């Protein structure tokens, strides 16, 4: 009886080790989902370039394209400079920086904007159509997200 119990326990333990090893071999870190919120508007920002390393497993991807090209056909979020741009991550990052690329020219218009949430009026952003690149960094890697925003200044 005792040998049977030990044999069953050993077999179950071996099966658990095999299944855990198989799961670990298939594991690939994935970028955190990002939801960008402004007032009642919400949009999911797709991860572009990323490099992640968790539990000894690595995943990386490079979009090989500039932010303007990536968001040109996306629906924009319309934002006034006084409004906050909030970011909802699955796991909050340690550091977030923003870069705004002018959609008309394709050139970098504003770099290294900081804030979590971001208030554009703190950086004197002009009205315009922008590709916003969001660079989020965690202890296990980084992800670049891109979305399109239209900034308008109310000139009443």
């Amino acid at each position: 009886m005792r040998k049977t119990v030990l044999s069953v326990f050993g077999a179950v333990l071996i099966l658990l080790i095999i299944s855990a090893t198989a799961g670990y071999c298939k594991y690939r870190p994935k970028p955190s989902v990002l939801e960008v919120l402004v007032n009642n508007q919400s949009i999911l920002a797709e991860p572009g370039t990323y490099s992640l390393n968790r539990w000894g497993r690595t995943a990386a991807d490079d979009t090989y394209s500039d932010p303007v090209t990536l968001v040109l056909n996306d629906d924009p979020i319309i934002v006034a400079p006084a409004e906050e741009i909030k970011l909802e991550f699955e796991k909050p990052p340690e550091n977030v920086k923003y870069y705004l690329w002018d959609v008309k020219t394709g050139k970098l218009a504003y770099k290294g904007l900081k804030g979590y949430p971001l208030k554009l009026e703190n950086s004197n952003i002009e009205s315009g159509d922008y590709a916003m690149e969001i660079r989020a960094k965690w202890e296990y890697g980084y992800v670049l997200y891109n979305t399109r925003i239209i900034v308008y200044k109310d000139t009443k």
Side-chain angles (χ1 to χ4, degrees):
M1 173 83 170
R2 191 172 192 196
K3 282 186 176 183
T4 306
V5 171
L6 287 175
S7 297
V8 170
F9 179 74
V12 169
L13 185 61
I14 289 171
L15 286 173
L16 284 174
I17 291 170
I18 290 170
S19 65
T21 302
Y24 176 75
C25 290
K26 290 180 184 177
Y27 174 75
R28 182 174 180 236
K30 294 186 181 189
S32 180
V33 173
L34 170 61
E35 184 177 10
V36 180
L37 303 153
V38 177
N39 283 334
N40 295 327
Q41 300 177 80
S42 168
I43 194 164
L44 287 178
E46 294 295 322
T49 299
Y50 62 88
S51 177
L52 303 169
N53 186 347
R54 291 185 91 177
W55 303 311
R57 307 300 290 172
T58 301
D61 194 10
D62 194 351
T63 57
Y64 300 112
S65 190
D66 63 285
V68 172
T69 304
L70 294 172
V71 302
L72 204 50
N73 296 320
D74 291 354
D75 293 329
I77 293 178
I78 299 170
V79 59
E83 295 172 327
E84 287 184 340
I85 299 174
K86 297 179 184 173
L87 306 177
E88 296 282 329
F89 291 95
E90 288 174 323
K91 181 180 180 200
E94 295 174 348
N95 185 322
V96 177
K97 288 184 183 175
Y98 311 84
Y99 296 79
L100 295 180
W101 300 77
D102 190 302
V103 169
K104 291 178 185 169
T105 65
K107 301 213 186 267
L108 182 61
Y110 299 95
K111 67 179 184 175
L113 304 174
K114 295 180 183 176
Y116 189 58
L118 176 65
K119 253 191 163 170
L120 297 176
E121 72 181 350
N122 295 342
S123 301
N124 297 318
I125 306 297
E126 294 295 320
S127 295
D129 190 357
Y130 298 101
M132 180 166 46
E133 181 180 24
I134 302 163
R135 297 182 183 188
K137 185 174 186 281
W138 291 265
E139 68 276 358
Y140 53 85
Y142 69 90
V143 181
L144 306 182
Y145 300 90
N146 298 288
T147 191
R148 187 172 178 185
I149 66 169
I150 293 178
V151 178
Y152 72 94
K153 288 189 177 180
D154 193 4
T155 55
K156 288 183 182 178

